[in-house]
Amino acid sequence: MSSVSWIVTTTPQVSGLVGMAKDAGLPVEAVVVGERATAEAVAASGVDTVRWVELGDSTPAEAASTLVADLAESEQPRLVLGGTSSEVKALLGAVAARTGAELLPAVASVEAEDAGLRITRALFGGIAESNEVWSSPVVALADAGSAVQPSGEAAQITAVEGETLPITVVERAVAPQEHVDLGAAKRIVAVGRGVKAREDLALAQELADALGAEVACSRPLAEGVDWFAKDRYVGVSGAHVAPELYIALGISGQLQHMSGMKGAHTVVAVNTDKDAPVFTQSDFGVVGDLYQVVPALTAALKG
Ligand SMILES: Cc1cc2nc3c(=O)[nH]c(=O)nc-3n(C[C@H](O)[C@H](O)[C@H](O)COP(=O)(O)OP(=O)(O)OC[C@H]3O[C@@H](n4cnc5c(N)ncnc54)[C@H](O)[C@@H]3O)c2cc1C
């Protein structure tokens, strides 16, 4: 293991990473994957050296993963830092797998100590924090920060020679998304995994229509099965809402969900499990099957 830190990046936005690497008290070497202009911007960001992996126009950064992993294997950096873009995650994942280093997400700070690097990071979406000293190599995902105003002499740039993986981008398509501002909603009908099939979401939509409410969901419905766009889920890592009325249908009430809707004025829960945690934070609870309760509620509201 060498006594250097690496910053792996595909963009010039590295202020957070450079600051963190300096706090670790190690020389800072940047590995830039992408355009020469990016390598030049990073070279002027306060790093000591820059290695540059050039990519063709239609080659994605992920194609450089084995090349960057080879380099890490031969140089064994003590600390590897990168941002949270999917491209950088792919590169850092390859480095961690090849070098056997621990891959740590959500790193907030790194400090040098005699016993190793003290690393603080957020756990469970930010509701807890871990503080550990690592004596073995670490690959850390952190907030990359912004671009750095050039100052002082720029670091030397050395091109990395080698084959990238044969991957070509043939088309880029942006998925159409309707955006919703759940934070502004006065009434919300939120659904969870108690809903068994996508087509059953119509039940919640009908109730929401009758109430003039927005439909929202728990995270598994937006990130597990993709029934909703990500801006529809409520919770610690999703939308934070404070409606007058929040109706939770088939949502168990885990802390990560409830912390996103604790500003709700009146909470109504429908759940088949009388011991579901959601009931402890509800004003009104119905122990029952949402497939029976929701149509009855909708009919009552329409009537
Ligand atoms: C770091 C981290 C961050 C997270 N952030 C979030 C976040 O921001 N938001 C979020 O929502 N989650 C988040 N989670 C996930 C969270 O921990 C829970 O796993 C998730 O909220 C559970 O979703 P759920 O309540 O829909 O599903 P489940 O926990 O599976 O609950 C489903 C509920 O439906 C009930 N049910 C089943 N059938 C019926 C029926 N027919 N009628 C009525 N009720 C029924 C069951 O009794 C059960 O209580 C996070 C997790 C981690 C680790």
Side-chain angles (χ1 to χ4, degrees):
M1 176 168 73
S2 75
S3 312
V4 298
S5 60
W6 270 22
I7 286 174
V8 177
T9 184
T10 58
T11 72
Q13 280 78 45
V14 290
S15 65
L17 305 176
V18 173
M20 213 172 257
K22 292 199 165 165
D23 289 344
L26 302 169
V28 190
E29 301 187 353
V31 176
V32 178
V33 176
E35 295 175 357
R36 173 83 193 182
T38 307
E40 287 171 1
V42 173
S45 300
V47 301
D48 296 304
T49 62
V50 173
R51 242 78 61 82
W52 170 47
V53 180
E54 184 177 13
L55 292 179
D57 280 349
S58 51
T59 308
E62 291 86 339
S65 54
T66 46
L67 198 52
V68 175
D70 288 346
L71 199 59
E73 190 177 27
S74 73
E75 301 196 4
Q76 298 287 322
R78 169 80 187 80
L79 170 70
V80 180
L81 291 164
T84 53
S85 70
S86 55
E87 293 172 329
V88 170
K89 280 180 180 166
L91 295 169
L92 293 197
V95 167
R98 184 70 66 79
T99 60
E102 198 72 28
L103 180 64
L104 302 179
V107 169
S109 70
V110 182
E111 283 170 49
E113 288 192 1
D114 290 344
L117 295 175
R118 178 172 294 280
I119 296 186
T120 310
R121 61 199 170 98
L123 296 181
F124 309 122
I127 57 176
E129 189 179 87
S130 119
N131 195 321
E132 296 159 327
V133 177
W134 292 83
S135 55
S136 53
V138 164
V139 174
L141 296 168
D143 182 356
S146 52
V148 180
Q149 283 300 321
S151 67
E153 205 175 314
Q156 192 182 347
I157 300 174
T158 312
V160 178
E161 304 296 336
E163 290 285 307
T164 53
L165 295 169
I167 310 173
T168 306
V169 177
V170 290
E171 189 185 341
R172 285 181 201 275
V174 179
Q177 285 227 342
E178 38 124 15
H179 288 288
V180 61
D181 181 7
L182 288 180
K186 295 240 179 305
R187 294 168 184 174
I188 291 178
V189 172
V191 287
R193 278 204 289 218
V195 174
K196 304 291 179 263
R198 189 175 196 156
E199 53 272 23
D200 302 341
L201 297 175
L203 290 174
Q205 188 63 59
E206 281 166 26
L207 176 59
D209 290 345
L211 281 165
E214 288 288 353
V215 174
C217 64
S218 63
R219 189 164 100 164
L221 271 59
E223 292 205 328
V225 291
D226 291 340
W227 289 352
F228 288 98
K230 292 192 177 49
D231 58 2
R232 288 262 175 196
Y233 84 81
V234 171
V236 65
S237 43
H240 291 214
V241 300
E244 290 163 5
L245 176 65
Y246 191 88
I247 303 186
L249 305 173
I251 290 179
S252 57
Q254 301 303 315
L255 181 63
Q256 291 89 356
H257 181 81
M258 303 306 273
S259 67
M261 44 68 77
K262 60 184 181 221
H265 187 264
T266 302
V267 179
V268 179
V270 179
N271 199 302
T272 43
D273 175 6
K274 70 175 174 38
D275 297 321
V278 69
F279 288 130
T280 63
Q281 290 180 60
S282 301
D283 299 285
F284 301 94
V286 181
V287 179
D289 184 342
L290 69 89
Y291 287 86
Q292 292 168 4
V293 175
V294 175
L297 269 178
T298 307
L301 283 162
K302 283 184 175 167

